[in-house]
Each structure stands twice: as structure tokens, then as C-alpha cells.
Amino acid sequence: MNKQQIQACGDELFNAMTSRKVIRPLTETYADISIDDAYHISLRMLEQRLAAGERVIGKKIGVTSKAVQNMLNVHQPDFGYLTDKMAYSQGEEMPISQLLMQPKAEGEIAFILKKDLMGPGITNADVLAATECVMPCFEVVDSRIDNWQIKIQDTVADNASCGLFVLGDSAVDPRKVDLATCGMVVEKNGSIISTGAGAAALGSPVNCVAWLANTLGAFGIGLKAGEVILSGSLVPLEPVVAGDYMRVSIGGMGSASVRFV
């Protein structure tokens, strides 16, 4: 793809997000679109968000668990940028009916960094040393692509299908919980709908953050102190609508909850 096509796609995705109107898959329009093209489209979309007054507060890893990969038919991880407009507080109502189009909630572990991480060569030990705390989290993903008919290039271009997120009210030292074996229970409207464990995300959420640091390092981008890093879902995606209430509990880490309006 040429520069003009990349900019046009980034603008189209940004306009789809702000107008809440889905678009056709980019992979249908541009048969030759590469993953590298898609990341440049994502950066163009981010430029538009920043120009509208948002600021980057972190990054997310997507499509890490087999459950989500199989659900979306996307079989490798990707990443996107988190902005301040995406963040909601524990107990705060999340207005998905006003902001999102095709929302799906997923339980995750969030890492809050106290030191920069710049790949390549980042190890799991580096990740743990750079992490201030870990927290239970809900990410509510959304797709600007009609009916989630995405290939890896579509979700990469669409900022890894970022929507909104909420962090729990407890923070834990990552060295005091086994992040590979910790169990997750997700409830929706009072009923348990899924369970998972840390190992569902590339063997451990720590592996996910190391992967992200090393992948971004190849683009000359680092993870920064103070950033929120969403490490990827441990359970299947769950469609949500206004009126739903969800809670995620993680062994040794506490819980996060969110009410959708």
C-alpha cells in the first residue's frame, strides 16, 4: 500500500469510530495489505485521536489466548494503544451504548509499569523488575469492521480492536502471585460464564508483556514507566449490551467489575 492509501484507511477507521458506523474489512478492499501496512494505518488512526485531544496512557496486547484466536480466526497476537478516553474506574458506569458498536468484554491482568522497557532482548525477569503492580481488569473490545469479519491485518489496523477498559480496585506485587497458574472466574449478571488461568495467554501474562516490549522495540517504540499494559484475555470474549453487569475475580489478585449502560 502507498502512503495515501494508508492515511485514507486510518482516517476511515477513525471516522467509523467517531460516527459509530462500521466499514467493510480492509482486507477485502486491499488484497495486498500487509501486517506492516496495518500497523502504519493504526498509527494514522492514533494520530487522529491525539489531534482530537486524547493522550496515550498505555498499550494492549490482543489475541493472546487460543479461545480468542479460535473465536476470531486470528492466530497471532497483536498490539494497540490505550488512551485516557478509554479508561474507566471501578464501579463507574461504562456507556457502551453511546461509544461502542460491537462490544465484547474480556477478563485480563493489567500491568502498571514503574520503569521503561525497551526491546529487543527483554526477558520475563526484566518485565517483573519493571512492574509496579498487577491488577484485575476488564477490557471491552470493539471493532469498526462490520460483524467482526476480521483478518489479522484488519484488527491490527483497527488499533487491535481497542474499545474501553476498567481496572479493579486492588493492586498486587507481581512477585507475590503466580501469574501462570492464577485462576480467573468471570460472571455476567450473577452467573459464572467462563473460567481461565494465566497460562492461557502465551503461557503466562509475563510472556505477553515481554513479547510486546520486544515487538514494539523493533519499531523503535518502548513501554514507559507509568503506563498501563493490558496483557491479553484469559477467557473467551463475551458480547455485552447496556444493562449487563460483569465481574472478574483472579486468585490472589482481587476483582474488577463493570456495569454497562
Side-chain angles (χ1 to χ4, degrees):
M1 296 179 68
N2 60 42
K3 184 176 181 180
Q4 288 73 26
Q5 290 172 325
I6 286 170
Q7 289 185 347
C9 288
D11 293 347
E12 184 180 21
L13 284 166
F14 177 76
N15 291 335
M17 180 190 72
T18 54
S19 66
R20 298 182 66 244
K21 294 181 180 179
V22 296
I23 64 173
R24 290 178 57 204
L26 300 181
T27 48
E28 286 185 3
T29 305
Y30 300 96
D32 62 340
I33 184 173
S34 68
I35 292 178
D36 192 57
D37 291 332
Y39 278 122
H40 283 96
I41 292 169
S42 175
L43 286 172
R44 173 65 177 185
M45 187 184 184
L46 178 65
E47 287 175 5
Q48 297 286 61
R49 297 187 76 138
L50 298 180
E54 298 180 48
R55 59 184 178 87
V56 173
I57 61 169
K59 300 173 179 78
K60 65 153 282 184
I61 306 136
V63 206
T64 53
S65 74
K66 288 297 181 185
V68 174
Q69 289 180 356
N70 292 335
M71 181 177 290
L72 298 179
N73 198 31
V74 172
H75 299 287
Q76 66 185 84
D78 63 358
F79 66 84
Y81 296 88
L82 305 177
T83 75
D84 57 330
K85 192 175 179 180
M86 300 177 187
Y88 283 77
S89 301
Q90 169 87 344
E92 186 179 4
E93 292 183 335
M94 185 180 284
I96 58 172
S97 60
Q98 300 171 35
L99 299 177
L100 305 183
M101 293 177 283
Q102 306 177 99
K104 299 176 187 285
E106 50 188 6
E108 302 193 15
I109 295 173
F111 289 64
I112 313 301
L113 299 184
K114 61 182 178 182
K115 297 178 182 177
D116 293 356
L117 284 171
M118 185 72 189
I122 295 298
T123 66
N124 284 14
D126 295 328
V127 171
L128 292 174
T131 300
E132 176 72 30
C133 62
V134 289
M135 305 176 73
C137 164
F138 267 117
E139 183 185 2
V140 185
V141 295
D142 194 25
S143 181
R144 273 56 69 173
I145 306 298
D146 189 23
N147 199 32
W148 281 93
Q149 295 301 302
I150 57 174
K151 295 181 179 178
I152 183 64
Q153 297 94 326
D154 294 300
T155 185
V156 165
D158 193 19
N159 196 30
S161 304
C162 281
L164 308 170
F165 71 93
V166 58
L167 300 178
D169 56 7
S170 58
V172 177
D173 186 325
R175 288 157 290 272
K176 294 184 177 179
V177 59
D178 189 332
L179 291 169
T181 63
C182 62
M184 172 180 285
V185 177
V186 178
E187 301 169 64
K188 180 180 181 182
N189 301 328
S191 299
I192 294 174
I193 59 168
S194 60
T195 60
L202 301 182
S204 167
V206 184
N207 293 337
C208 297
V209 179
W211 174 88
L212 180 64
N214 290 321
T215 300
L216 283 173
F219 290 87
I221 301 168
L223 308 184
K224 298 179 181 179
E227 287 192 331
V228 179
I229 308 299
L230 305 187
S231 62
S233 183
L234 307 182
V235 292
L237 300 175
E238 177 66 20
V240 289
V241 297
D244 286 338
Y245 172 81
M246 292 190 71
R247 184 172 185 267
V248 58
S249 303
I250 303 175
M253 204 178 300
S255 64
S257 61
V258 59
R259 185 174 302 279
F260 300 108
V261 294

